[in-house]
Amino acid sequence: DQYSLFSKFFEKGYLQAEIEYDVNIDSIEVDLSWTISPGDPVRIAEIELEGNEQVSEDLVRRELVITRGEYFRLKEILESKQNLYDTGYFNSVEIEPASFNNEERSVDLALVVWERKMGYIEAGIGVGNVQGNRLFLEWGQRNLLGRGYALNLRSEYAFRLFPENEYKLSKLDFWERYQRHGGELRFPHIFSTWNTFAVGAFYVRDATVEPAVVKTTSANASISRRFTRQTSLQLTYGLEHVRRENVEDERDKSRRRSLDLTYTRDKRDFYFNPQEGRYIITMGRFAGVFLGGEDHYYSLIGSYQAYMRIGKQTVFAYRLRSGYAQSFGDSRETGGVPLESRFFAGGGNSVRGYKENSLGPLEDDGSPEGGRVLLLTNVEIRFPLPYLSKYNFGGALFIDGGNVWSSVEDVEFEHFNPFLEADEISDVHYRYAFGCGIRYNTPVGPIRLDLGFPLRKTDGIDHDYLFHISLGQIF
């Protein structure tokens, strides 16, 4: 309680507050008394910087939200430290009172930093349900030209080892599913504001929706603003040249000009494996018309995720995700919303127990067509496994639901009835699945193994059950 009280006074600048307590015990009764002398709030006199060699003093001070003459506030000290860490320049940042001036009620602060290497090379591997096995290599410079600009060049490559989730050595296949190469240059604090401007160029080859292959060459420019530590907004203008292979009723290639607006609010307690908080993201895109290009459509996507503790170690988590896309103008006559901008569902990251992208409308050959309307619901209970939790093993029980539809008119209330007979089910009906999983917790999130059982199966497409392996929670 004493430390809690001190922190409340420190937050308001009362750095010399005196808080004492006295305990008197009489038989089985205890009397507790507090004596609090807050004193006067303290202002910041000087902020002395130490430890910077490659990073200029201007780049350090522009991240501070504390200034000379203002009252010392612990919240602003912590925010300044976090801003300095977010630059990527430093391994350690300390902001501590150096000396007090009792007459002027002021304090000098010592800002001590330990720099990281400005240039870096990173490599990594991963595994997931959609892209399969992933490799990446990245080179970057955190402080280009000594001006605080950040440059990175990155290549990613993903391949599939076991088609159709059949984990047999005889099925081993290194078929390429995804590759992405590109670079980005970021300019923090443009025009001396808290906005960040970025430009980038990318090449992507995406074959995750079989049998289609979509190749995209793009350049974009974005401006983003972080309003608080949890809330941010980003506006992006993109130029794309798209080529499509193995598709029907689609343009073989098209040019696209688009504006994207993304709002994010992230109050999760831990990015890789949250146990409390919530995460909200909404994305809107407008392409074509006055922007130019040959693809004319708009889309809206929203996702809400929440996490809460049950007891000490059990977590109840749920997600609601929806999307809508609509074409207009010339695009209505030439395939509608492009394949790569449609919604797909089914698989280890959406509705477990079903094959990847198998839900919703299908082509005559059984390949996924994608939809313009999306709805996903996921509920999961995550808990430690008895006797195995000390080895970082946990378990999960889940219920998933979802589907995609060609249009809003195809969505009807009766399609959500979970008690229909098998012969009544078609591609417009909402699909449900349940299952269980094992988690092995690592510093970068859990390795996830899920066993899903579909409750509504389509003959010739869906299995009685499916295993899904990935790195990280499903949401």
Side-chain angles (χ1 to χ4, degrees), residues 196 198 221-225 233-237 259-262 284:
T196 296
S222 67
I223 186 167
S224 58
R225 175 66 180 264
L233 188 69
Q234 177 171 303
L235 178 66
T236 303
Y237 174 70
L259 280 175
D260 295 344
L261 185 64
T262 303

Side-chain angles (χ1 to χ4, degrees), residues 89-336:
Y89 303 153
F90 307 109
N91 283 320
S92 179
V93 178
E94 296 294 340
I95 305 177
E96 302 289 347
S99 61
F100 285 95
N101 186 320
N102 289 323
E103 294 182 359
E104 297 183 3
R105 310 303 301 166
S106 64
V107 61
D108 293 335
L109 298 180
L111 169 56
V112 183
V113 297
W114 285 266
E115 293 180 343
R116 304 173 67 181
K117 292 185 180 298
M118 295 299 111
Y120 65 91
I121 296 177
E122 293 180 351
I125 61 175
V127 62
N129 299 106
V130 177
Q131 295 179 359
N133 306 275
R134 300 190 295 270
L135 305 171
F136 81 86
L137 178 67
E138 180 175 333
W139 172 89
Q141 171 58 244
R142 298 183 176 93
N143 187 17
L144 189 65
L145 304 177
R147 302 291 299 275
Y149 307 149
L151 172 67
N152 72 77
L153 303 175
R154 182 184 177 100
S155 287
E156 300 178 45
Y157 179 79
F159 55 94
R160 177 182 60 183
L161 284 178
F162 298 100
E164 304 298 331
N165 284 343
E166 295 185 32
Y167 300 101
K168 301 177 182 179
L169 291 179
S170 60
K171 295 287 187 178
L172 197 64
D173 181 12
F174 287 90
W175 183 69
E176 177 187 351
R177 301 206 72 181
Y178 182 87
Q179 61 172 290
R180 186 176 190 269
H181 313 284
E184 186 177 62
L185 181 60
R186 301 179 67 83
F187 304 88
H189 296 274
I190 57 168
F191 305 122
S192 299
T193 69
W194 286 90
N195 300 312
T196 296
F197 179 71
V199 292
F202 307 92
Y203 169 79
V204 178
R205 183 188 186 276
D206 189 344
T208 55
V209 180
E210 300 180 52
V213 177
V214 180
K215 301 177 181 178
T216 305
T217 305
S218 64
N220 60 47
S222 67
I223 186 167
S224 58
R225 175 66 180 264
R226 190 179 65 191
F227 297 97
T228 67
R229 298 228 61 81
Q230 297 85 21
T231 307
S232 62
L233 188 69
Q234 177 171 303
L235 178 66
T236 303
Y237 174 70
L239 307 173
E240 298 175 283
H241 183 266
V242 185
R243 290 168 290 169
R244 307 173 184 90
E245 301 175 0
N246 304 329
V247 294
E248 296 182 3
D249 302 324
E250 295 268 351
R251 284 195 178 105
D252 292 336
K253 58 183 179 179
S254 64
R255 295 168 299 164
R256 181 181 304 150
R257 309 289 184 266
S258 62
L259 280 175
D260 295 344
L261 185 64
T262 303
Y263 168 83
T264 304
R265 182 164 178 79
D266 189 350
K267 301 196 72 174
R268 294 173 290 183
D269 59 346
F270 182 41
Y271 177 83
F272 294 113
N273 191 13
Q275 297 185 348
E276 290 182 318
R278 60 184 183 273
Y279 177 65
I280 302 170
I281 182 169
T282 58
M283 297 173 286
R285 164 172 283 196
F286 184 88
V289 193
F290 61 89
L291 296 174
E294 297 162 339
D295 293 334
H296 305 274
Y297 70 96
Y298 66 88
S299 63
L300 297 170
I301 304 172
S303 180
Y304 180 88
Q305 302 167 199
Y307 312 85
M308 60 193 73
R309 290 181 186 269
I310 303 175
K312 291 184 178 180
Q313 294 180 293
T314 300
V315 177
F316 175 76
Y318 64 91
R319 173 177 70 173
L320 175 63
R321 182 177 175 85
S322 61
Y324 177 74
Q326 179 65 274
S327 61
F328 50 84
D330 295 341
S331 291
R332 283 185 176 273
E333 310 299 326
T334 55

Side-chain angles (χ1 to χ4, degrees), residues 46-53 55-62 64 84 90 92-95 109-115:
E46 298 291 341
I47 304 173
E48 301 172 358
L49 175 62
E50 300 176 26
N52 61 308
E53 296 179 0
V55 182
S56 69
E57 183 172 344
D58 289 341
L59 294 184
V60 176
R61 293 191 180 275
R62 75 180 185 181
L64 303 179
L84 289 167
F90 307 109
S92 179
V93 178
E94 296 294 340
I95 305 177
L109 298 180
L111 169 56
V112 183
V113 297
W114 285 266
E115 293 180 343

